[in-house]
Amino acid sequence: MLTGKQRSYLRALANNIQPIFQIGKGGINDNMLKQFSDALEARELIKATVLKNAECDAKLVCEEIAELTQSQIVQVIGSKFVLYRQSEKNAVIELPR
């Protein structure tokens, strides 16, 4: 579980990154979950966008992906959300205590 200080730090880092995933009317499938998991392992912090034609809103999509990839929700704003999961092999982001 992330503390407020850690979440704030990750939000600041996420400010400068571009969304690398778009979720549309197809929703979430196994292939997309594998891509999310691989991206989290490589980058630790990822941003995604939920398109207007998606069946669910960003908060529901974010919660489902976070649960299925064992990642933490950093923030959900509008149609964008940010997820964090510490890399098992090469952790780069050092969270404040």
Side-chain angles (χ1 to χ4, degrees):
M1 201 66 186
L2 294 172
T3 65
K5 191 175 193 178
Q6 292 169 336
R7 195 175 308 269
S8 178
Y9 176 72
L10 292 171
R11 276 198 306 259
L13 291 177
N15 236 355
N16 300 324
I17 63 174
Q18 294 296 315
I20 58 171
F21 292 107
Q22 292 182 334
I23 294 115
K25 67 179 179 181
I28 303 165
N29 55 36
D30 292 339
N31 185 34
M32 182 175 285
L33 286 174
K34 179 167 178 6
Q35 290 177 351
F36 264 97
S37 189
D38 291 346
L40 283 163
E41 180 60 34
R43 298 175 181 221
E44 295 184 305
L45 189 67
I46 60 171
K47 188 185 284 189
T49 303
V50 178
L51 301 176
K52 290 181 182 177
N53 64 352
E55 295 170 0
C56 297
D57 68 334
K59 187 160 178 66
L60 292 173
V61 170
C62 180
E63 288 171 352
E64 185 174 351
I65 292 173
E67 182 180 328
L68 295 171
T69 60
Q70 287 87 41
S71 58
Q72 300 286 325
I73 299 171
V74 177
Q75 72 177 357
V76 180
I77 295 181
S79 63
K80 291 185 172 74
F81 63 89
V82 179
L83 295 175
Y84 169 78
R85 183 177 76 196
Q86 186 172 8
S87 176
E88 295 173 8
K89 296 177 184 160
N90 56 345
V92 177
I93 299 173
E94 196 170 316
L95 295 176
R97 297 228 171 241

